[in-house]
Amino acid sequence: MRAFHLAWLSLFSCYFSTFSIPPLLAVLRQDLNLSASDIGHAGTAAFAGSVFSRFAMGPACDLLGPRLASSALSLLTVPVVLSTAFISSAQSFVLLRFLIGFSLANFVASQFWMSSMFSGSVVGRANGVAAGWANVGAGLAQLVMPMIFSLIMSVGVSSSYAWRLAFVVPAIFQAVTALMVLAYGQDLPDGNYWSHNHPRKASSKPRENVFGVLLHGLKNYRGWILGLTYGYCFGVELTIDNIIAQYFYDRFNVDIRMAGAIAASFGLGNLVSRPLGGVLSDEMGQRFGMRGRLWSLWAVQTVAGLLCVLLGRVDSLWGSAVVMCCFSFFVQAASGLTFGVVPFISKRSLGVISGMTGSGGAVGAVVAQLLLFSGSNKFSTQTGISLMGLLMIVCTIPVGFIYFPKWGGMFCGPSKEPSSMDQDDYSLLE
Amino acid sequence: MAAHGEPLWSPSSTKAGEVLKAGQDQLTVTWSYNQTFPAGTDSAYKTVKVKLCYAPVSQVDRAWRKTVDNLDKDKTCQFKVVAKPYGPSNNSFTWTVEKDIPTATYFVRAYAYNSNGDEAAFGQTTDAHKTTNLFEIQAITGRHMSLDIASVCFSAFSIVSLFGFFYMEKRKGKLAQQK
């Protein structure tokens, strides 16, 4: 359990750091003379870095163990967060967000760590709760950063100094959690990788070729489909985290702390919604098998898409806030439901599939930001939000194409003779 | 609020075409009633508000500074210079540029209000296309030496502690293997 708390807390701090910038954009854009395009590019950059870092984190965990890999990444990104004190141009702002975004790879490390420490029957819940509680970091940052900023200003400091100083808080938090992971965490129930001479590899079947495992995962079409759908639930969640505070600030003329509070309620829903998504997936899996898991994923994500379309069209402040809360519940549950299906795709290449899905989330966020919220668009933010909802609905349809010979798919039952080729892929989590 | 009408004022500011430093330099604005308009048009004016407004070059790609006809939603002029009771001539005010004005290109606009608080007329220091007589303001940078040093020190601590732990892990591993 100590590993569980260390894992979600350190990932929480990474999300907190990455999303500590959006709530203060209204101040930053004046000080750094940012244009809407600059802000859009920076938002895209925040996720672009994580596409690669999430993919690379899988092998890094294999090599070093999740404890060292995740704390190394956290400690290496602390200087980046601190360098917020130095930036004074749009280019350095974009670079800053790009580099901080690397820390989001710790998601893969935390899921890997949970899978190593928890038994098969509860790993789904462990993953769901760890990821959900960590995502709350994005929401809490939206609430807390404006408060820290106002607190520093109330002492008499100018606004342009106050925001620079405010970023010391996420930096210290990230460093502390990383050091705690190093001091108190362990990779496996019986110890650490390095002190036990890689027992995980020694005790398993003959050492798999890393490339073989990688290729095996990449060839599995289900991993690609889930990467796409995760891109349009989790990716949308990341995009909303980036734009929502500014949206409420600009469209409804609320002050920076109120905008932060409203934006925070989006991310805070993760406390229950993502874990509930995982629980729903497990319940549907028990009653209806894989078909239940896939149908519930499709249904929840489609409802989330519809609510997103609605969010862009609501004209009142409180109407928007209410729709946003409902939307947050469904989109985060969809993320939890996605990782209720991921463990079943391949046992041999679980790390690769998780990495593909996780990267897909970041890619979805990058594409959504570039297409819809880059500042140089001809349409307004609210239209962009509605279009994103439509995109979500369309990109959830491929879930219907997922088919497991052993368990069936959304529209077809399991095949009568089990396919001999895929035999060892599905020997998992019975 | 209706769209802007004909300018009935002729404000002017010193320092057109110059760069002013926030918190330090001063701006002097003078304004008077435009005598070419019929006498008595200005009998409704009660107060004057002088504002600092973004020039179009600073509004490009920045929707939070957009000019819209509806004055309630217009975001062109976000900083108040001074508010004074109306007088037809000999009005001037010297303003020290406030510390929190951001870096951008500006012009000055003076609004006249009637007793209901509605905008009745306006005038600006630039032409109708907002291209002449603009001036720049340079904001105060938020960077401080003390924060820079603290950031560098803490970053160094972060990296050193990481490598420290790595080294300790390796040593523990070697010791465990030797046993």
Coordinates of all heavy atoms in Angstrom, one line a residue, chain B residues 113-150:
Chain B
Y113 N -18.8 61.7 -20.6 CA -20.0 61.0 -20.2 C -21.1 62.0 -19.8 O -20.7 63.1 -19.2 CB -19.7 60.1 -18.9 CG -18.8 58.9 -19.3 CD1 -17.4 59.1 -19.3 CD2 -19.3 57.7 -19.6 CE1 -16.6 58.0 -19.6 CE2 -18.5 56.6 -19.9 CZ -17.1 56.8 -19.9 OH -16.3 55.8 -20.2
N114 N -22.4 61.7 -20.0 CA -23.4 62.6 -19.5 C -23.8 62.2 -18.1 O -23.2 61.4 -17.5 CB -24.6 62.5 -20.5 CG -25.2 61.1 -20.5 OD1 -25.0 60.3 -19.7 ND2 -26.0 60.9 -21.6
S115 N -24.8 62.9 -17.6 CA -25.1 62.7 -16.2 C -25.7 61.3 -15.9 O -25.6 60.8 -14.8 CB -26.2 63.7 -15.7 OG -27.2 63.8 -16.7
N116 N -26.1 60.5 -16.9 CA -26.6 59.2 -16.7 C -25.4 58.2 -16.7 O -25.6 57.0 -16.4 CB -27.5 58.7 -17.8 CG -28.9 59.3 -17.7 OD1 -29.2 59.8 -16.6 ND2 -29.6 59.4 -18.7
G117 N -24.2 58.7 -16.9 CA -23.1 57.8 -17.0 C -22.9 57.1 -18.4 O -22.1 56.2 -18.5
D118 N -23.7 57.6 -19.4 CA -23.6 57.0 -20.7 C -22.5 57.8 -21.5 O -22.4 59.0 -21.3 CB -24.9 57.2 -21.5 CG -26.0 56.4 -20.8 OD1 -25.7 55.3 -20.2 OD2 -27.2 56.8 -20.9
E119 N -21.9 57.0 -22.3 CA -20.8 57.7 -23.2 C -21.5 58.5 -24.2 O -22.4 58.1 -24.9 CB -20.0 56.6 -23.8 CG -18.8 57.1 -24.6 CD -18.9 56.9 -26.1 OE1 -20.0 56.8 -26.6 OE2 -17.9 56.7 -26.7
A120 N -21.1 59.8 -24.3 CA -21.7 60.7 -25.2 C -20.8 61.1 -26.3 O -21.2 61.4 -27.4 CB -22.1 62.0 -24.4
A121 N -19.5 61.1 -26.1 CA -18.6 61.4 -27.2 C -17.2 60.9 -26.8 O -17.0 60.5 -25.6 CB -18.5 63.0 -27.4
F122 N -16.3 61.0 -27.8 CA -14.9 60.5 -27.4 C -14.0 61.2 -28.4 O -14.4 61.8 -29.4 CB -14.8 59.0 -27.5 CG -14.6 58.6 -29.0 CD1 -13.3 58.2 -29.4 CD2 -15.6 58.6 -29.9 CE1 -13.1 57.8 -30.7 CE2 -15.4 58.2 -31.2 CZ -14.2 57.8 -31.6
G123 N -12.7 61.1 -28.0 CA -11.7 61.6 -28.9 C -10.4 60.8 -28.6 O -10.3 60.2 -27.6
Q124 N -9.5 60.7 -29.6 CA -8.3 59.9 -29.4 C -7.1 60.6 -30.0 O -7.2 61.4 -30.9 CB -8.5 58.5 -30.0 CG -8.9 58.5 -31.4 CD -9.4 57.1 -31.8 OE1 -9.9 56.3 -31.0 NE2 -9.1 56.7 -33.1
T125 N -6.0 60.2 -29.5 CA -4.7 60.9 -29.9 C -4.3 60.4 -31.3 O -3.3 60.8 -31.8 CB -3.6 60.6 -28.9 OG1 -3.5 59.2 -28.8 CG2 -3.9 61.2 -27.6
T126 N -5.0 59.4 -31.9 CA -4.5 58.8 -33.1 C -5.6 59.1 -34.2 O -6.7 59.6 -33.9 CB -4.1 57.4 -33.0 OG1 -3.7 56.9 -34.2 CG2 -5.3 56.6 -32.5
D127 N -5.4 58.6 -35.4 CA -6.4 58.8 -36.5 C -7.4 57.7 -36.4 O -7.4 56.9 -35.5 CB -5.7 58.9 -37.8 CG -5.0 57.6 -38.2 OD1 -4.9 56.7 -37.2 OD2 -4.6 57.4 -39.3
A128 N -8.4 57.8 -37.3 CA -9.5 56.8 -37.2 C -9.0 55.4 -37.4 O -9.6 54.4 -36.9 CB -10.5 57.2 -38.3
H129 N -7.9 55.2 -38.1 CA -7.4 53.8 -38.3 C -6.4 53.4 -37.3 O -5.8 52.3 -37.3 CB -6.7 53.8 -39.7 CG -7.6 54.0 -40.8 ND1 -8.6 53.1 -41.2 CD2 -7.8 55.0 -41.7 CE1 -9.3 53.5 -42.2 NE2 -8.8 54.7 -42.5
K130 N -6.2 54.3 -36.3 CA -5.3 54.0 -35.2 C -3.9 53.6 -35.6 O -3.3 52.7 -35.2 CB -5.8 52.9 -34.3 CG -7.2 53.2 -33.7 CD -7.7 52.2 -32.8 CE -8.9 51.4 -33.4 NZ -9.4 50.4 -32.6
T131 N -3.3 54.4 -36.5 CA -2.0 54.1 -37.0 C -1.0 55.2 -36.7 O 0.2 55.0 -36.7 CB -2.0 53.9 -38.6 OG1 -2.7 55.0 -39.2 CG2 -2.6 52.6 -38.9
T132 N -1.4 56.4 -36.5 CA -0.5 57.5 -36.2 C -0.3 57.8 -34.7 O -1.2 57.5 -34.0 CB -0.9 58.8 -36.9 OG1 -2.2 59.1 -36.4 CG2 -1.0 58.6 -38.4
N133 N 0.8 58.5 -34.4 CA 0.9 59.0 -33.0 C 0.8 58.0 -31.9 O 0.3 58.2 -30.9 CB -0.2 60.0 -32.8 CG 0.3 61.4 -33.0 OD1 1.4 61.6 -33.2 ND2 -0.6 62.4 -32.9
L134 N 1.3 56.8 -32.2 CA 1.3 55.7 -31.2 C 2.5 55.8 -30.4 O 3.6 56.3 -30.9 CB 1.1 54.3 -31.9 CG -0.1 54.2 -32.8 CD1 0.1 52.9 -33.6 CD2 -1.4 54.2 -32.0
F135 N 2.5 55.3 -29.2 CA 3.7 55.2 -28.4 C 3.8 53.8 -27.7 O 2.8 53.2 -27.5 CB 3.8 56.3 -27.4 CG 2.6 56.4 -26.4 CD1 2.6 55.7 -25.2 CD2 1.5 57.1 -26.8 CE1 1.5 55.8 -24.4 CE2 0.4 57.1 -26.0 CZ 0.4 56.5 -24.8
E136 N 5.0 53.5 -27.3 CA 5.1 52.2 -26.7 C 5.4 52.3 -25.2 O 5.9 53.3 -24.7 CB 6.4 51.5 -27.3 CG 6.1 50.8 -28.6 CD 7.3 50.2 -29.2 OE1 8.1 49.6 -28.4 OE2 7.5 50.4 -30.4
I137 N 5.0 51.3 -24.4 CA 5.3 51.2 -23.0 C 6.0 49.9 -22.8 O 5.7 48.9 -23.3 CB 4.0 51.3 -22.2 CG1 3.4 52.7 -22.3 CG2 4.4 51.1 -20.7 CD1 2.2 52.9 -21.5
Q138 N 7.1 50.1 -22.0 CA 7.9 48.9 -21.6 C 7.6 48.5 -20.2 O 7.8 49.3 -19.3 CB 9.4 49.3 -21.7 CG 10.3 48.1 -21.7 CD 10.9 47.9 -23.1 OE1 11.7 48.7 -23.5 NE2 10.4 47.0 -23.8
A139 N 7.1 47.3 -20.0 CA 6.8 46.8 -18.7 C 8.0 46.6 -17.8 O 9.1 46.4 -18.3 CB 5.9 45.6 -18.7
I140 N 7.8 46.6 -16.5 CA 8.8 46.2 -15.6 C 9.0 44.7 -15.6 O 8.0 44.0 -15.5 CB 8.4 46.6 -14.1 CG1 8.3 48.1 -14.1 CG2 9.5 46.2 -13.1 CD1 7.9 48.6 -12.7
T141 N 10.2 44.2 -15.7 CA 10.3 42.8 -15.7 C 10.2 42.2 -14.3 O 10.5 42.8 -13.3 CB 11.7 42.4 -16.3 OG1 11.8 40.9 -16.1 CG2 12.8 43.0 -15.5
G142 N 9.6 41.0 -14.3 CA 9.4 40.4 -12.9 C 10.6 39.6 -12.5 O 10.6 39.1 -11.4
R143 N 11.6 39.6 -13.3 CA 12.8 38.8 -12.9 C 13.6 39.5 -11.8 O 13.8 40.6 -11.8 CB 13.7 38.6 -14.1 CG 13.0 37.6 -15.1 CD 14.0 37.2 -16.1 NE 15.2 36.7 -15.5 CZ 16.2 36.2 -16.2 NH1 16.2 36.3 -17.5 NH2 17.3 35.7 -15.6
H144 N 13.9 38.7 -10.8 CA 14.7 39.2 -9.7 C 15.9 38.3 -9.5 O 15.8 37.1 -9.6 CB 13.9 39.2 -8.4 CG 13.0 40.4 -8.3 ND1 12.0 40.6 -9.2 CD2 12.9 41.3 -7.3 CE1 11.3 41.7 -8.8 NE2 11.9 42.2 -7.7
M145 N 17.0 38.9 -9.1 CA 18.3 38.2 -8.9 C 18.1 37.1 -7.9 O 18.5 36.0 -8.0 CB 19.4 39.2 -8.6 CG 20.7 38.5 -8.3 SD 21.4 37.9 -9.9 CE 22.4 39.2 -10.4
S146 N 17.4 37.5 -6.8 CA 17.3 36.6 -5.7 C 16.5 35.3 -6.1 O 16.9 34.2 -5.7 CB 16.6 37.2 -4.5 OG 15.4 37.8 -5.0
L147 N 15.5 35.4 -6.9 CA 14.7 34.3 -7.3 C 15.6 33.4 -8.3 O 15.6 32.2 -8.2 CB 13.4 34.7 -8.0 CG 12.5 33.6 -8.4 CD1 12.1 32.8 -7.2 CD2 11.3 34.2 -9.1
D148 N 16.3 34.1 -9.1 CA 17.2 33.4 -10.1 C 18.2 32.5 -9.3 O 18.4 31.3 -9.7 CB 18.0 34.4 -11.0 CG 17.1 35.1 -12.0 OD1 15.9 34.7 -12.1 OD2 17.5 36.0 -12.6
I149 N 18.8 33.1 -8.3 CA 19.8 32.3 -7.6 C 19.1 31.2 -6.8 O 19.6 30.0 -6.8 CB 20.5 33.3 -6.6 CG1 21.3 34.3 -7.3 CG2 21.4 32.5 -5.6 CD1 22.1 35.3 -6.5
A150 N 18.0 31.4 -6.2 CA 17.3 30.4 -5.5 C 17.0 29.2 -6.4 O 17.1 28.1 -6.0 CB 16.1 30.9 -4.8

